């Protein structure tokens, strides 16, 4: 009889443990917050480029309206990108050895401040983010000239490319939407963009937008145009995509936004009050707000927030002043962590 009671007690205990584990998991999911990972540069000597520059990664909490500097490290990257994996106390960034024309991937330990090189060879990065412990990058493989989407395995330190044999398609933008669970890419053909028709006649590179799953599968074309230049794309919701556009290559006009309706293929101008030019942008998960890196009509370059419901624009750095050695904001990534 005593043994039975012990068994029953163990069962009750196990059930309670499972209940609290599930409850904890639910609470953890409820505590997910929105962040911006802001890649910036700073002067090493505080004044100019004479002594080189450092990469600075800031993490901005949208809920708290506060910014924190995660790390600063001297770099010589062709185009610096960075992203923080706070869950694992790591950050990742691109950098190159001085004199090398290609970038590689590096890991920075946020606890020890130690950094190490993860890849070697010819690589070029222009997008980087982590979703559900998977790192996604837009990268030029070794011996290739074009960038393409890839998953970087943080354990094996190996890339899985969308199409490792494709050395013609440029993927000029890669982003993730937390509502649709889809990756969005913007492509153009290297051979077509160098053709006589594009170089001498239209000055517009034909572009195609694709949606795909997070395993790089179900690769689906959703829109194609040769009527204007598309520079950057982000999915607003299931049926709308925002794009930064130029009338043509080399245009001196400010870069602005257009919105694509996926179902109807209708494209309309998307004006943001007070914003003169958009360099980069990310919509929030609920599609009611938009973060914009660009210039206002006072020719002030900075990071802005557009409330799409109230139709007003605010400066993200109103309460958080950038350091005195600040050089520039390179880009930023939106995440829910």
């Amino acid at each position: 009889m005593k043994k039975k009671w012990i068994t029953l007690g163990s069962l009750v205990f196990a059930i309670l443990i499972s209940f609290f584990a599930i409850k904890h998991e639910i609470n953890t999911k409820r505590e997910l917050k929105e962040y911006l990972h802001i890649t910036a540069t700073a002067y090493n000597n505080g004044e100019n480029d004479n002594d080189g520059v450092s990469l600075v990664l800031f993490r901005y909490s949208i809920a708290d309206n506060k910014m924190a500097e995660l790390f600063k490290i001297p770099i010589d990257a062709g185009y610096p990108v960075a992203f923080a994996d706070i869950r694992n106390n790591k950050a990742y960034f691109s950098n190159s050895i001085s004199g090398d024309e290609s970038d590689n991937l590096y890991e920075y330990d946020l606890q020890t401040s130690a950094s190490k090189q993860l890849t070697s060879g010819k690589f070029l990065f222009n997008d980087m983010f982590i979703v559900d412990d998977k790192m996604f990058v837009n990268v030029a493989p070794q011996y290739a000239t074009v960038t393409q989407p890839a998953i970087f395995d943080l354990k094996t330190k190996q890339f899985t490319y969308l199409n490792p044999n494709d050395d013609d398609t440029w993927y000029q933008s890669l982003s993730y939407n937390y509502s649709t669970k889809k990756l969005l890419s913007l492509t153009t053909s290297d051979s077509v963009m160098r053709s006589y028709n594009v170089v001498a006649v239209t000055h517009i590179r034909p572009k195609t937008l694709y949606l795909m799953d997070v395993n790089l599968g179900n690769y689906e074309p959703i829109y194609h145009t040769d009527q204007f230049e598309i520079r950057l794309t982000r999915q607003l919701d299931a049926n709308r995509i925002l794009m930064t556009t130029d009338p043509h290559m080399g245009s001196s006009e400010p870069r602005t936004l257009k919105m694509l309706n996926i179902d109807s293929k209708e494209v309309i101008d998307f004006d943001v009050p007070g914003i003169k030019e958009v360099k980069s942008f990310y919509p929030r998960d609920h599609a009611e707000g938009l973060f914009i890196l660009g210039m206002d009509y006072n020719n002030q370059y900075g990071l802005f927030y557009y409330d799409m419901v109230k139709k007003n624009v605010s400066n993200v750095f109103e309460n958080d002043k950038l350091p005195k050695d600040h050089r520039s904001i390179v880009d930023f990534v939106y995440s829910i962590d």
Side-chain angles (χ1 to χ4, degrees):
M1 178 67 75
K2 185 177 180 181
K3 185 177 181 180
K4 289 182 180 179
W5 276 110
I6 291 173
T7 304
L8 179 61
S10 299
L11 179 62
V12 171
F13 180 74
I15 291 172
L16 288 172
I17 290 296
S18 299
F19 170 77
F20 286 116
I22 293 170
K23 185 176 180 182
H24 173 73
E25 183 179 349
I26 292 172
N27 288 338
T28 301
K29 288 182 179 179
R30 287 176 181 169
E31 291 171 359
L32 292 176
K33 293 183 178 181
E34 300 171 288
Y35 296 95
L36 301 182
H37 304 244
I38 304 169
T39 302
T41 55
Y43 298 115
N44 286 342
N45 61 16
E47 297 178 353
N48 53 49
D49 289 347
N50 291 348
D51 297 314
V53 300
S54 289
L55 179 146
V56 187
L57 181 60
F58 297 103
R59 191 171 189 244
Y60 174 77
S61 169
I62 296 173
D64 301 327
N65 192 26
K66 289 184 178 179
M67 185 171 65
E69 180 181 304
L70 297 183
F71 76 92
K72 180 191 292 186
I73 191 167
I75 59 164
D76 189 31
Y79 181 76
V81 294
F83 193 89
D85 180 9
I86 298 298
R87 295 182 193 179
N88 297 301
N89 291 306
K90 307 288 186 184
Y92 299 90
F93 64 99
S94 62
N95 195 13
S96 66
I97 300 170
S98 182
D100 193 348
E101 294 183 357
S102 60
D103 292 343
N104 275 288
L105 183 63
Y106 289 74
E107 178 185 272
Y108 185 92
D109 191 309
L110 295 172
Q111 290 184 313
T112 67
S113 299
S115 64
K116 62 180 179 181
Q117 186 173 338
L118 299 182
T119 65
S120 60
K122 179 190 176 297
F123 297 105
L124 170 68
F125 299 85
N126 64 11
D127 289 295
M128 180 190 301
F129 51 88
I130 295 173
V131 178
D132 296 333
D133 294 322
K134 275 187 177 181
M135 176 181 283
F136 296 89
V137 291
N138 208 15
V139 58
Q142 193 170 8
Y143 310 120
T145 58
V146 299
T147 55
Q148 67 167 288
I151 298 172
F152 182 74
D153 190 312
L154 293 169
K155 293 181 179 179
T156 66
K157 309 297 187 288
Q158 298 296 315
F159 292 101
T160 299
Y161 299 101
L162 174 65
N163 187 349
N165 299 316
D166 183 359
D167 197 17
D168 177 69
T169 308
W170 279 99
Y171 292 81
Q172 297 182 313
S173 176
L174 181 68
S175 60
Y176 177 76
N177 185 277
Y178 288 87
S179 295
T180 65
K181 311 297 183 185
K182 291 283 189 178
L183 295 166
L184 173 66
S185 66
L186 170 68
T187 73
T188 188
S189 164
D190 188 72
S191 56
V192 172
M193 67 184 277
R194 299 175 191 278
S195 67
Y196 176 83
N197 188 56
V198 170
V199 174
V201 181
T202 68
H203 304 290
I204 296 172
R205 296 167 292 185
K207 300 286 178 65
T208 305
L209 277 64
Y210 288 86
L211 287 173
M212 67 186 110
D213 296 334
V214 290
N215 63 358
L216 306 184
N218 293 322
Y219 188 63
E220 176 189 7
I222 57 170
Y223 179 69
H224 177 83
T225 186
D226 58 3
Q227 300 303 303
F228 51 86
E229 274 284 311
I230 306 175
R231 300 287 186 169
L232 196 68
T233 55
R234 305 279 186 251
Q235 191 168 12
L236 184 60
D237 54 32
N239 196 42
R240 294 182 297 172
I241 286 175
L242 289 174
M243 312 174 288
T244 54
T245 65
D246 290 324
H248 53 80
M249 290 188 295
S251 172
S252 60
E253 295 183 27
R255 191 167 296 170
T256 56
L257 288 171
K258 292 184 184 293
M259 185 165 65
L260 164 70
N261 182 295
I262 298 175
D263 288 342
S264 69
K265 301 299 184 286
E266 180 187 18
V267 175
I268 61 173
D269 291 335
F270 187 91
D271 295 323
V272 179
I275 299 299
K276 179 180 180 180
E277 182 164 21
V278 177
K279 181 195 174 196
S280 182
F281 69 96
Y282 263 96
R284 294 179 68 180
D285 184 49
H286 50 53
E288 294 179 353
L290 193 65
F291 286 95
I292 297 171
L293 179 62
M295 187 179 296
D296 63 16
Y297 279 97
N298 294 320
N299 291 322
Q300 178 185 1
Y301 181 78
L303 189 57
F304 304 93
Y305 178 65
Y306 174 44
D307 188 316
M308 295 167 62
V309 177
K310 297 179 181 179
K311 306 294 184 185
N312 59 27
V313 173
S314 57
N315 191 325
V316 170
F317 297 130
E318 261 181 312
N319 299 323
D320 281 299
K321 300 299 181 183
L322 290 166
K324 290 182 179 180
D325 62 355
H326 173 72
R327 181 177 182 269
S328 67
I329 300 174
V330 179
D331 208 346
F332 71 101
V333 181
Y334 169 88
S335 75
I336 300 179
D337 300 323

